[in-house]
Every structure is written in C-alpha cells, then in structure tokens.
C-alpha cells in the first residue's frame, strides 16, 4: 500500500517555524561549527611538523620544496608557499625552540577546538531545548482548548505519551538534523582539503578506490 507523504512537508515547515525565535543562537552555532571544523583539521595537521621536528627537521624544507603543484597549479603553488612559510616560522631557531613552539601551537589549537565545540554544543542544545519547550507549551494549551468529549474517547496514557515521548523523539530528530546538515559536511570539506594539501594524488586514488 502506497503511503501518502503529502502532509509531511507542511509539518516539517511548521517545525522549522518554531526555530525563528532562536535564529541568532542557531546562526552563531553554525559559525562556531565552522571554526570547530577548521581547528579540528588543524589539530591533526600540526602533528606532521611536530614529528619532523622530533626526528628529522632537515627533511621538512626539502619535502615542501619538492611538493610542486596541486590539481590546479596556481592553488598548489599557493598552498606550497603557505606551508613553507609556516614551517620556516616554526623551525626558526634551535630544535628545542622549534619543539617548544610547535607544542604550544598544538595545545592552543586543541583548546580553541574544544572551546568552539563546547560553545557550539551549548548554543545548539539551548535552541533545541527551547524549541521543545515551546512545542510542549503549545501542545498543552491545545489540549486545554479541546472539548471534554475528546478526552472521553482518548486514553490518558496516549495523551501523556504524545506530550512526553513523542516530543522527545522530535527533539532527537532536530538534533540529528542540525548535526548532519552543518557539522558533518564541514568536517568532510576540511578533511578533504587537508588530504589534498598533503598529497592530492593519493587523495584522488583513495576517492576512486573507496567506492
């Protein structure tokens, strides 16, 4: 039997309408998600110069200089220049100074990553809980506006389940929607950019072989 889904879109629009009072919190959460994704990728990338500083600092300059162009020559040359300037700044001075410098950078990067992640989670959780609170209040007011005959035909357990359980399920759906739409695509973009900056050939081979 074919299921009629024509009414799902208006219901979804009504649910999104509940987010309007909290668009500032949601917008700030989106911005914080972007910074979280960037620092998440940077926290992984920074371990490469750390290992080079520890084991073979002379290898860094030669490796970057031999990197060459990327998929687009202009972009590849620009990325190589940025990496070369960053590595030169990190490796300036003695090996101990370079090790101290990169360790401080890694610690600061992880702190910023966790801070942005916490603020993003706090704002998004505040928005989700506020939306669910408003939805429960509307449902409660709606139940009080119904005639007494409605309650004689409905079970009390069903009404309580709709207010408590069904609304909680909707809360999980809203949370999954925002996480899936915002955080995961940004993380994929950052990690792909990181992989292409390290070795675009191996990244293309991985993308071809993976499916």
């Amino acid at each position: 039997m074919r299921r009629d889904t024509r009414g799902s879109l208006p219901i979804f629009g009504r649910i999104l309408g509940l987010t309007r009072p909290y668009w500032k919190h949601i917008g700030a959460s989106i911005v914080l998600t972007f910074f979280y994704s960037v620092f998440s990728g940077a926290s992984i990338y920074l371990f490469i110069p750390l290992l080079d500083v520890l084991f073979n600092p002379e290898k860094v300059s030669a490796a970057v200089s031999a990197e060459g162009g990327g998929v687009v020559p202009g972009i590849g040359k620009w990325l190589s220049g940025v990496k070369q300037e960053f590595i030169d700044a990190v490796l300036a001075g003695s090996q101990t100074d370079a090790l101290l410098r990169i360790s401080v950078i890694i610690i600061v990067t992880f702190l910023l990553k966790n801070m942005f992640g916490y603020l993003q989670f706090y704002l998004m959780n505040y928005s989700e809980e506020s939306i669910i609170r408003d939805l429960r209040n509307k449902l409660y007011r709606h139940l009080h506006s119904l005639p007494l005959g409605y309650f004689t035909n409905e079970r009390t357990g069903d009404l309580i389940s709709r207010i408590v359980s069904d609304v909680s399920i909707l809360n999980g759906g809203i949370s999954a929607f925002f996480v899936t739409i915002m955080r995961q695509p940004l993380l994929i973009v950052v990690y792909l950019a990181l992989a292409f900056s390290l070795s675009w050939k191996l990244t293309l081979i991985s993308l071809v072989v993976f499916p």
Side-chain angles (χ1 to χ4, degrees), residues 1-209:
M1 184 175 180
R2 186 175 180 180
R3 184 178 178 182
D4 188 7
T5 59
R6 290 176 296 178
S8 60
L9 186 59
I11 294 175
F12 184 71
R14 290 170 62 186
I15 295 174
L16 288 181
L18 296 173
T19 64
R20 292 177 182 175
Y22 312 102
W23 65 270
K24 292 182 179 180
H25 298 83
I26 296 175
S29 179
I30 295 174
V31 175
L32 291 171
T33 301
F34 171 77
F35 285 107
Y36 170 82
S37 302
V38 171
F39 282 101
S40 179
S43 62
I44 299 175
Y45 180 79
L46 287 173
F47 278 101
I48 298 175
L50 175 63
L51 295 177
D52 288 325
V53 169
L54 289 174
F55 299 107
N56 193 5
E58 294 82 7
K59 177 185 175 182
V60 178
S61 298
V64 177
S65 299
E67 180 74 18
V71 179
V72 181
I75 297 178
K77 186 180 295 184
W78 178 78
L79 287 175
S80 298
V82 171
K83 289 193 294 183
Q84 184 66 57
E85 292 179 0
F86 173 75
I87 292 174
D88 289 342
V90 171
L91 297 182
S94 63
Q95 186 174 1
T96 303
D97 295 335
L99 180 60
L100 178 61
R101 194 177 296 112
I102 191 63
S103 299
V104 171
I105 293 174
I106 290 177
I107 293 174
V108 172
T109 301
F110 270 96
L111 287 176
L112 291 175
K113 169 193 168 184
N114 293 331
M115 182 185 70
F116 286 126
Y118 173 78
L119 292 175
Q120 184 271 335
F121 175 79
Y122 175 81
L123 291 176
M124 187 56 64
N125 189 69
Y126 173 82
S127 302
E128 292 169 3
E129 295 299 330
S130 299
I131 292 170
I132 297 304
R133 179 198 60 203
D134 295 343
L135 183 60
R136 280 200 173 110
N137 289 336
K138 286 187 176 183
L139 181 58
Y140 187 75
R141 288 193 296 267
H142 177 69
L143 288 175
H144 275 268
S145 65
L146 294 174
L148 291 177
Y150 174 81
F151 297 97
T152 59
N153 298 325
E154 293 289 334
R155 296 179 179 178
T156 305
D158 293 339
L159 297 177
I160 296 176
S161 176
R162 291 172 186 174
I163 296 176
V164 179
S165 301
D166 294 354
V167 175
S168 298
I169 294 174
L170 182 61
N171 185 17
I174 293 175
S175 176
F177 171 78
F178 282 114
V179 171
T180 304
I181 294 298
M182 293 187 303
R183 175 177 287 190
Q184 300 303 329
L186 284 174
L187 286 174
I188 291 174
V189 171
V190 170
Y191 289 151
L192 277 178
L194 178 61
F196 274 104
S197 67
L198 294 176
S199 177
W200 64 270
K201 295 180 181 179
L202 290 177
T203 303
L204 289 179
I205 293 175
S206 300
L207 293 176
V208 173
V209 173

